[in-house]
Amino acid sequence: MTQDLAHSVRPSAEARAQAEGWWRSAVIYQVYVRSFADSDGDGIGDLRGIRERLPYLAELGVDALWLTPFYASPQADGGYDVADYRAVDPLFGQLSDADDLVREAHRLGLRVIVDIVPNHTSDQHVWFRAALAGEPEGAARARYHFRPGRGAGGELPPNDWESVFGGPAWTRTTGPDGTPGEWYLHLFAPEQPDLNWDNPEVRAEFESVLRFWLDLGVDGFRIDVAHGMVKAPGLPDIGRTEQAKLIGAQVLPFFDQDGVHEIHRGWRQLLDSYAGERIGVAEAWAPTPERLALYVRPDELHQAFNFQFLTCAWGAGPMREVIDQSLAATLSVGAPTTWVLSNHDVVRHTTRYGGGEQGLRRARAAALLMLALPGSAYVYQGEELGLPEVVDLPDEVRQDPAFFRGDGQEGTRDGCRVPLPWSGGAAPYGFGPGGSWLPQPAAWAQLSVEAQSGDPRSTLELYRSALVLRRELPGLGDGEMRWLEAPEGVLALSRPGFVCTLNTLGDEVTMPVPGRPVLATAALEFAGGTVRIPSDSCVWWAV
Ligand code: GLC
């Protein structure tokens, strides 16, 4: 219906780069580096591969990209175990590739956000090696959380905390002579020892790392486990099992402690000392929207992912409630809400919403809803292709540490990390000159960028049109919204000059025509001032 609009004028790269408060409305595309594009044929995506595909992202119409960790790492947790925060892992290229990527992105008017992992290092980081080699009570160990064990011989972990990935959150060290020694804390895998943020050395080191990447020109940081860096004093027992999930909002002595805010305030000052509105976005799992909003107070971070929206069930009632709560909470601190439907840790939303035809219909509709809401939005690579979760990966190809650590998590995170299909009829579908580190389904030939480009019914063209319209319609992006009267099961939201209707029902609904349709996820039928809106669909109207 609006494919012609998709090719209308885009703002120049300079105009976009100068926009003040850019992050309040930005659409930011998450690049999962190892699965985006492979330039050298080793089956693993890399920085050069991303650079070669930047025109695709510019044409898609996003404002920025967020790159998942590409730093030197043994890859025990897909690079979220960093051994050297200032080096690029040879798997992904070298430092000059990062530099080239940032420059080229900027030339195309795209900003670049990189991941920073401050809660833990890799067990191969020089600091942790020194800690293991050092004395109990020594300065090297004071950068982490080392404790003697409980029990007569210290054979029990220091407290009852469980790892997010399953099993105890403590691992016992062994001395050079083989005798068991102290335990160290790891909220995630044993290869990811938690840093002690009470130690000034840790704080100073991360400020230096932030500066390193800001000096290279990055536009901000996605802060991994931004809610976990500070632990309750004395590391108290929790008193129950089944404690932490990666995707959860429990109140726990190691998550969402008030002390983390002081760290983020310091980082904000550092970000503000650089020109060009460099931003911090929190990956924070907080128990309520109000607790989450604390991370985006005016002197803290710019954005925090809205995981309440991500985990919300399909349906007008629950979605409206989450939207209202989120907007009220962020408004109370003057921040925009940051919407997200998928990322590299959760089941892709086409599958979450039921899979198959229905899942795809709902995913397309949810995308239009998200992009119509006030604030910023994140798009996880492949959602613009309507990719489903790959649910039948053989065990022998899986790499998610949660899969190998028992029942702490479902261990399904590999299924959303399968490399993108770009073109052609056979795997790896243009992902690179070699294979792909996880096998791609045969059905993905039809979902490739090439297969969908130019097809007005495709999900890719839907995203392209939506992103063009989001720039053109002044009422979208940051700003206000209000709800309109709508039939049961339908959400109708109004922004200046704009209405969005979402039918969450399994049946079509007939309602008065609210305006001129500019984009729809399914075909509409008009009759005498009314419109029939198909089940599980979303429509954008100009008014
Ligand atoms: C974050 C990342 C996840 C990683 C974890 C530990 O939640 O998104 O992928 O496993 O932190 O770093």
Short mmCIF file of all heavy atoms in Angstrom, two decimals, residues 54-105:
data_model
loop_
_atom_site.label_atom_id
_atom_site.label_comp_id
_atom_site.label_asym_id
_atom_site.label_seq_id
_atom_site.Cartn_x
_atom_site.Cartn_y
_atom_site.Cartn_z
N LEU A 54 26.99 -2.60 5.42
CA LEU A 54 26.42 -1.37 5.98
C LEU A 54 25.39 -0.70 5.06
O LEU A 54 24.39 -0.17 5.55
CB LEU A 54 27.51 -0.36 6.34
CG LEU A 54 28.31 -0.67 7.61
CD1 LEU A 54 29.43 0.35 7.77
CD2 LEU A 54 27.41 -0.66 8.84
N PRO A 55 25.60 -0.74 3.74
CA PRO A 55 24.58 -0.11 2.87
C PRO A 55 23.20 -0.73 3.08
O PRO A 55 22.18 -0.04 2.99
CB PRO A 55 25.11 -0.38 1.46
CG PRO A 55 26.60 -0.48 1.64
CD PRO A 55 26.79 -1.16 2.97
N TYR A 56 23.17 -2.01 3.39
CA TYR A 56 21.87 -2.66 3.66
C TYR A 56 21.19 -2.00 4.86
O TYR A 56 19.99 -1.72 4.84
CB TYR A 56 22.10 -4.15 3.92
CG TYR A 56 20.90 -4.87 4.51
CD1 TYR A 56 19.81 -5.20 3.71
CD2 TYR A 56 20.85 -5.21 5.87
CE1 TYR A 56 18.70 -5.86 4.25
CE2 TYR A 56 19.76 -5.86 6.41
CZ TYR A 56 18.68 -6.18 5.60
OH TYR A 56 17.58 -6.82 6.14
N LEU A 57 21.99 -1.72 5.90
CA LEU A 57 21.40 -1.14 7.11
C LEU A 57 20.99 0.31 6.87
O LEU A 57 19.96 0.77 7.37
CB LEU A 57 22.38 -1.23 8.28
CG LEU A 57 22.71 -2.66 8.70
CD1 LEU A 57 23.71 -2.67 9.83
CD2 LEU A 57 21.44 -3.41 9.12
N ALA A 58 21.80 1.03 6.08
CA ALA A 58 21.45 2.42 5.77
C ALA A 58 20.14 2.43 4.97
O ALA A 58 19.24 3.23 5.23
CB ALA A 58 22.57 3.08 5.01
N GLU A 59 20.02 1.51 4.05
CA GLU A 59 18.83 1.48 3.21
C GLU A 59 17.60 1.01 4.00
O GLU A 59 16.48 1.46 3.76
CB GLU A 59 19.07 0.54 2.02
CG GLU A 59 18.26 0.91 0.81
CD GLU A 59 17.82 -0.31 0.02
OE1 GLU A 59 18.70 -1.14 -0.29
OE2 GLU A 59 16.61 -0.44 -0.25
N LEU A 60 17.84 0.13 4.94
CA LEU A 60 16.73 -0.32 5.79
C LEU A 60 16.13 0.87 6.54
O LEU A 60 14.93 0.92 6.79
CB LEU A 60 17.25 -1.38 6.77
CG LEU A 60 16.28 -2.03 7.75
CD1 LEU A 60 15.17 -2.76 7.01
CD2 LEU A 60 17.03 -3.00 8.68
N GLY A 61 16.98 1.82 6.88
CA GLY A 61 16.47 3.05 7.48
C GLY A 61 16.65 3.14 8.98
O GLY A 61 15.99 3.94 9.64
N VAL A 62 17.56 2.33 9.54
CA VAL A 62 17.81 2.45 10.98
C VAL A 62 18.78 3.61 11.22
O VAL A 62 19.43 4.10 10.30
CB VAL A 62 18.37 1.13 11.57
CG1 VAL A 62 17.35 0.01 11.42
CG2 VAL A 62 19.70 0.74 10.93
N ASP A 63 18.85 4.04 12.47
CA ASP A 63 19.69 5.20 12.81
C ASP A 63 21.05 4.79 13.33
O ASP A 63 22.00 5.57 13.29
CB ASP A 63 19.00 6.02 13.91
CG ASP A 63 17.62 6.47 13.46
OD1 ASP A 63 17.56 7.35 12.59
OD2 ASP A 63 16.61 5.91 13.94
N ALA A 64 21.12 3.59 13.90
CA ALA A 64 22.36 3.19 14.57
C ALA A 64 22.43 1.68 14.61
O ALA A 64 21.42 0.99 14.39
CB ALA A 64 22.38 3.75 15.99
N LEU A 65 23.61 1.15 14.88
CA LEU A 65 23.73 -0.27 15.14
C LEU A 65 24.39 -0.49 16.48
O LEU A 65 25.18 0.34 16.93
CB LEU A 65 24.46 -1.03 14.04
CG LEU A 65 25.64 -0.41 13.34
CD1 LEU A 65 26.61 -1.51 12.91
CD2 LEU A 65 25.14 0.29 12.10
N TRP A 66 24.03 -1.58 17.09
CA TRP A 66 24.68 -2.03 18.33
C TRP A 66 25.38 -3.34 17.98
O TRP A 66 24.75 -4.27 17.48
CB TRP A 66 23.63 -2.21 19.43
CG TRP A 66 23.94 -3.30 20.43
CD1 TRP A 66 25.17 -3.71 20.88
CD2 TRP A 66 22.98 -4.15 21.09
NE1 TRP A 66 25.04 -4.75 21.78
CE2 TRP A 66 23.72 -5.04 21.92
CE3 TRP A 66 21.59 -4.24 21.07
CZ2 TRP A 66 23.08 -6.01 22.71
CZ3 TRP A 66 20.96 -5.21 21.86
CH2 TRP A 66 21.70 -6.07 22.67
N LEU A 67 26.68 -3.36 18.24
CA LEU A 67 27.48 -4.56 17.96
C LEU A 67 27.67 -5.35 19.24
O LEU A 67 28.16 -4.81 20.24
CB LEU A 67 28.86 -4.15 17.45
CG LEU A 67 28.93 -3.25 16.22
CD1 LEU A 67 30.35 -2.77 16.00
CD2 LEU A 67 28.41 -4.00 15.00
N THR A 68 27.35 -6.63 19.23
CA THR A 68 27.63 -7.48 20.40
C THR A 68 29.15 -7.68 20.50
O THR A 68 29.89 -7.38 19.57
CB THR A 68 26.88 -8.82 20.27
OG1 THR A 68 27.22 -9.41 19.02
CG2 THR A 68 25.37 -8.60 20.34
N PRO A 69 29.65 -8.17 21.65
CA PRO A 69 31.10 -8.14 21.90
C PRO A 69 31.94 -8.82 20.81
O PRO A 69 31.65 -9.94 20.41
CB PRO A 69 31.24 -8.88 23.22
CG PRO A 69 29.93 -8.71 23.89
CD PRO A 69 28.91 -8.71 22.80
N PHE A 70 32.98 -8.10 20.38
CA PHE A 70 33.91 -8.62 19.38
C PHE A 70 35.33 -8.59 19.92
O PHE A 70 36.29 -8.62 19.20
CB PHE A 70 33.79 -7.81 18.07
CG PHE A 70 33.88 -6.32 18.28
CD1 PHE A 70 35.11 -5.70 18.45
CD2 PHE A 70 32.72 -5.55 18.34
CE1 PHE A 70 35.19 -4.33 18.66
CE2 PHE A 70 32.80 -4.17 18.57
CZ PHE A 70 34.04 -3.56 18.72
N TYR A 71 35.44 -8.50 21.25
CA TYR A 71 36.75 -8.34 21.90
C TYR A 71 37.43 -9.70 22.07
O TYR A 71 36.76 -10.74 22.01
CB TYR A 71 36.57 -7.67 23.27
CG TYR A 71 35.63 -6.49 23.21
CD1 TYR A 71 34.37 -6.53 23.80
CD2 TYR A 71 36.00 -5.35 22.49
CE1 TYR A 71 33.50 -5.46 23.71
CE2 TYR A 71 35.13 -4.27 22.40
CZ TYR A 71 33.89 -4.33 23.01
OH TYR A 71 33.03 -3.27 22.90
N ALA A 72 38.74 -9.63 22.35
CA ALA A 72 39.50 -10.87 22.56
C ALA A 72 38.83 -11.70 23.65
O ALA A 72 38.58 -11.21 24.76
CB ALA A 72 40.93 -10.51 22.96
N SER A 73 38.54 -12.95 23.33
CA SER A 73 37.74 -13.76 24.24
C SER A 73 37.89 -15.24 23.90
O SER A 73 37.95 -15.61 22.73
CB SER A 73 36.27 -13.37 24.09
OG SER A 73 35.42 -14.37 24.62
N PRO A 74 37.92 -16.09 24.92
CA PRO A 74 37.90 -17.54 24.64
C PRO A 74 36.52 -18.01 24.16
O PRO A 74 36.36 -19.18 23.87
CB PRO A 74 38.26 -18.17 25.97
CG PRO A 74 38.58 -17.08 26.92
CD PRO A 74 38.08 -15.79 26.34
N GLN A 75 35.54 -17.14 24.12
CA GLN A 75 34.21 -17.46 23.59
C GLN A 75 33.48 -18.53 24.42
O GLN A 75 32.80 -19.39 23.88
CB GLN A 75 34.28 -17.90 22.11
CG GLN A 75 35.01 -16.94 21.19
CD GLN A 75 34.26 -15.63 20.97
OE1 GLN A 75 33.04 -15.60 20.95
NE2 GLN A 75 35.00 -14.55 20.82
N ALA A 76 33.66 -18.46 25.73
CA ALA A 76 32.92 -19.40 26.58
C ALA A 76 31.45 -19.02 26.63
O ALA A 76 30.59 -19.86 26.90
CB ALA A 76 33.50 -19.42 27.99
N ASP A 77 31.15 -17.74 26.39
CA ASP A 77 29.75 -17.29 26.36
C ASP A 77 29.58 -16.30 25.21
O ASP A 77 29.21 -15.15 25.41
CB ASP A 77 29.39 -16.65 27.71
CG ASP A 77 27.94 -16.16 27.74
OD1 ASP A 77 27.12 -16.66 26.93
OD2 ASP A 77 27.62 -15.29 28.58
N GLY A 78 29.88 -16.78 24.01
CA GLY A 78 29.69 -15.95 22.82
C GLY A 78 30.37 -14.59 22.90
O GLY A 78 29.83 -13.61 22.38
N GLY A 79 31.50 -14.50 23.57
CA GLY A 79 32.24 -13.24 23.63
C GLY A 79 31.87 -12.38 24.84
O GLY A 79 32.49 -11.33 25.06
N TYR A 80 30.85 -12.78 25.61
CA TYR A 80 30.52 -12.06 26.85
C TYR A 80 31.46 -12.49 27.99
O TYR A 80 31.15 -12.35 29.17
CB TYR A 80 29.05 -12.24 27.23
CG TYR A 80 28.14 -11.37 26.38
CD1 TYR A 80 27.52 -11.88 25.24
CD2 TYR A 80 27.93 -10.04 26.70
CE1 TYR A 80 26.71 -11.07 24.45
CE2 TYR A 80 27.13 -9.22 25.92
CZ TYR A 80 26.52 -9.75 24.80
OH TYR A 80 25.73 -8.94 24.02
N ASP A 81 32.58 -13.05 27.60
CA ASP A 81 33.67 -13.39 28.53
C ASP A 81 34.90 -12.76 27.91
O ASP A 81 35.55 -13.33 27.06
CB ASP A 81 33.80 -14.92 28.65
CG ASP A 81 33.83 -15.64 27.30
OD1 ASP A 81 33.04 -15.29 26.39
OD2 ASP A 81 34.66 -16.56 27.14
N VAL A 82 35.19 -11.53 28.35
CA VAL A 82 36.21 -10.73 27.67
C VAL A 82 37.57 -10.90 28.33
O VAL A 82 37.72 -10.70 29.54
CB VAL A 82 35.80 -9.23 27.65
CG1 VAL A 82 36.84 -8.40 26.92
CG2 VAL A 82 34.42 -9.06 27.03
N ALA A 83 38.57 -11.24 27.51
CA ALA A 83 39.93 -11.41 28.03
C ALA A 83 40.74 -10.14 27.87
O ALA A 83 41.67 -9.89 28.63
CB ALA A 83 40.63 -12.57 27.33
N ASP A 84 40.41 -9.33 26.87
CA ASP A 84 41.11 -8.05 26.68
C ASP A 84 40.11 -7.06 26.06
O ASP A 84 39.70 -7.22 24.91
CB ASP A 84 42.32 -8.24 25.76
CG ASP A 84 43.12 -6.95 25.59
OD1 ASP A 84 42.61 -5.87 25.97
OD2 ASP A 84 44.24 -7.02 25.07
N TYR A 85 39.76 -6.06 26.87
CA TYR A 85 38.69 -5.12 26.47
C TYR A 85 39.14 -4.15 25.39
O TYR A 85 38.32 -3.41 24.86
CB TYR A 85 38.20 -4.34 27.69
CG TYR A 85 37.41 -5.20 28.66
CD1 TYR A 85 38.04 -5.97 29.63
CD2 TYR A 85 36.02 -5.25 28.60
CE1 TYR A 85 37.31 -6.76 30.52
CE2 TYR A 85 35.28 -6.03 29.48
CZ TYR A 85 35.94 -6.79 30.43
OH TYR A 85 35.21 -7.56 31.30
N ARG A 86 40.42 -4.12 25.10
CA ARG A 86 40.92 -3.17 24.10
C ARG A 86 41.39 -3.86 22.82
O ARG A 86 41.98 -3.24 21.97
CB ARG A 86 42.07 -2.34 24.67
CG ARG A 86 41.69 -1.46 25.86
CD ARG A 86 42.91 -0.74 26.40
NE ARG A 86 42.62 0.01 27.61
CZ ARG A 86 42.57 -0.51 28.82
NH1 ARG A 86 42.75 -1.81 29.00
NH2 ARG A 86 42.29 0.26 29.88
N ALA A 87 41.14 -5.14 22.71
CA ALA A 87 41.61 -5.87 21.52
C ALA A 87 40.44 -6.53 20.82
O ALA A 87 39.47 -6.94 21.45
CB ALA A 87 42.63 -6.92 21.94
N VAL A 88 40.53 -6.64 19.50
CA VAL A 88 39.51 -7.34 18.71
C VAL A 88 39.94 -8.80 18.64
O VAL A 88 41.11 -9.11 18.42
CB VAL A 88 39.42 -6.72 17.30
CG1 VAL A 88 38.53 -7.55 16.40
CG2 VAL A 88 38.89 -5.29 17.40
N ASP A 89 38.99 -9.71 18.84
CA ASP A 89 39.32 -11.12 18.73
C ASP A 89 39.66 -11.44 17.27
O ASP A 89 38.95 -11.00 16.37
CB ASP A 89 38.14 -11.98 19.19
CG ASP A 89 38.58 -13.41 19.45
OD1 ASP A 89 38.77 -14.17 18.47
OD2 ASP A 89 38.75 -13.76 20.63
N PRO A 90 40.73 -12.22 17.03
CA PRO A 90 41.10 -12.56 15.65
C PRO A 90 39.94 -13.21 14.87
O PRO A 90 39.88 -13.09 13.65
CB PRO A 90 42.26 -13.54 15.81
CG PRO A 90 42.78 -13.34 17.19
CD PRO A 90 41.69 -12.74 18.02
N LEU A 91 39.03 -13.84 15.57
CA LEU A 91 37.85 -14.40 14.89
C LEU A 91 37.09 -13.32 14.12
O LEU A 91 36.50 -13.60 13.08
CB LEU A 91 36.85 -14.92 15.94
CG LEU A 91 36.85 -16.35 16.41
CD1 LEU A 91 35.69 -16.54 17.37
CD2 LEU A 91 36.75 -17.32 15.24
N PHE A 92 37.09 -12.11 14.69
CA PHE A 92 36.25 -11.04 14.13
C PHE A 92 37.04 -10.00 13.36
O PHE A 92 36.45 -9.10 12.77
CB PHE A 92 35.46 -10.35 15.26
CG PHE A 92 34.63 -11.31 16.08
CD1 PHE A 92 34.77 -11.38 17.45
CD2 PHE A 92 33.72 -12.15 15.46
CE1 PHE A 92 34.00 -12.27 18.20
CE2 PHE A 92 32.96 -13.05 16.19
CZ PHE A 92 33.10 -13.11 17.57
N GLY A 93 38.39 -10.08 13.41
CA GLY A 93 39.21 -9.12 12.67
C GLY A 93 40.26 -8.51 13.56
O GLY A 93 40.76 -9.15 14.49
N GLN A 94 40.59 -7.26 13.29
CA GLN A 94 41.57 -6.57 14.12
C GLN A 94 41.09 -5.15 14.40
O GLN A 94 40.06 -4.73 13.87
CB GLN A 94 42.94 -6.58 13.47
CG GLN A 94 42.91 -6.29 11.99
CD GLN A 94 44.24 -6.57 11.33
OE1 GLN A 94 45.24 -6.67 12.02
NE2 GLN A 94 44.26 -6.69 10.02
N LEU A 95 41.86 -4.46 15.22
CA LEU A 95 41.40 -3.14 15.66
C LEU A 95 41.14 -2.21 14.48
O LEU A 95 40.18 -1.44 14.48
CB LEU A 95 42.45 -2.55 16.61
CG LEU A 95 41.96 -1.38 17.46
CD1 LEU A 95 40.72 -1.75 18.27
CD2 LEU A 95 43.07 -0.92 18.39
N SER A 96 41.96 -2.32 13.44
CA SER A 96 41.76 -1.44 12.29
C SER A 96 40.41 -1.73 11.62
O SER A 96 39.80 -0.84 11.03
CB SER A 96 42.91 -1.59 11.29
OG SER A 96 42.95 -2.92 10.83
N ASP A 97 39.91 -2.95 11.73
CA ASP A 97 38.59 -3.25 11.16
C ASP A 97 37.49 -2.55 11.95
O ASP A 97 36.50 -2.09 11.38
CB ASP A 97 38.33 -4.76 11.16
CG ASP A 97 39.27 -5.51 10.23
OD1 ASP A 97 39.50 -5.03 9.11
OD2 ASP A 97 39.79 -6.56 10.64
N ALA A 98 37.67 -2.47 13.26
CA ALA A 98 36.68 -1.76 14.08
C ALA A 98 36.68 -0.29 13.71
O ALA A 98 35.63 0.34 13.55
CB ALA A 98 36.99 -1.95 15.57
N ASP A 99 37.89 0.24 13.54
CA ASP A 99 38.05 1.64 13.17
C ASP A 99 37.39 1.90 11.81
O ASP A 99 36.59 2.83 11.65
CB ASP A 99 39.56 1.91 13.12
CG ASP A 99 39.87 3.38 13.15
OD1 ASP A 99 39.43 4.03 14.11
OD2 ASP A 99 40.51 3.86 12.22
N ASP A 100 37.68 1.05 10.84
CA ASP A 100 37.09 1.21 9.50
C ASP A 100 35.57 1.13 9.56
O ASP A 100 34.87 1.87 8.88
CB ASP A 100 37.58 0.09 8.56
CG ASP A 100 39.05 0.24 8.21
OD1 ASP A 100 39.61 1.31 8.51
OD2 ASP A 100 39.62 -0.73 7.67
N LEU A 101 35.08 0.21 10.37
CA LEU A 101 33.63 0.01 10.46
C LEU A 101 32.95 1.26 11.02
O LEU A 101 31.94 1.73 10.48
CB LEU A 101 33.34 -1.22 11.35
CG LEU A 101 31.91 -1.51 11.74
CD1 LEU A 101 31.00 -1.59 10.52
CD2 LEU A 101 31.83 -2.83 12.52
N VAL A 102 33.52 1.81 12.08
CA VAL A 102 32.92 3.00 12.69
C VAL A 102 32.94 4.17 11.70
O VAL A 102 31.94 4.87 11.50
CB VAL A 102 33.65 3.36 14.01
CG1 VAL A 102 33.19 4.71 14.54
CG2 VAL A 102 33.40 2.27 15.05
N ARG A 103 34.08 4.34 11.02
CA ARG A 103 34.18 5.44 10.06
C ARG A 103 33.17 5.31 8.92
O ARG A 103 32.51 6.26 8.53
CB ARG A 103 35.58 5.49 9.45
CG ARG A 103 36.53 6.27 10.26
CD ARG A 103 37.96 5.99 9.82
NE ARG A 103 38.79 6.03 10.99
CZ ARG A 103 39.21 7.16 11.54
NH1 ARG A 103 38.88 8.32 11.03
NH2 ARG A 103 39.95 7.14 12.63
N GLU A 104 33.09 4.09 8.39
CA GLU A 104 32.21 3.88 7.24
C GLU A 104 30.75 4.05 7.66
O GLU A 104 29.94 4.62 6.93
CB GLU A 104 32.46 2.49 6.65
CG GLU A 104 31.63 2.14 5.44
CD GLU A 104 31.85 3.05 4.23
OE1 GLU A 104 32.79 3.88 4.25
OE2 GLU A 104 31.06 2.94 3.27
N ALA A 105 30.42 3.56 8.85
CA ALA A 105 29.05 3.73 9.35
C ALA A 105 28.73 5.22 9.45
O ALA A 105 27.68 5.68 8.99
CB ALA A 105 28.90 3.04 10.70
#
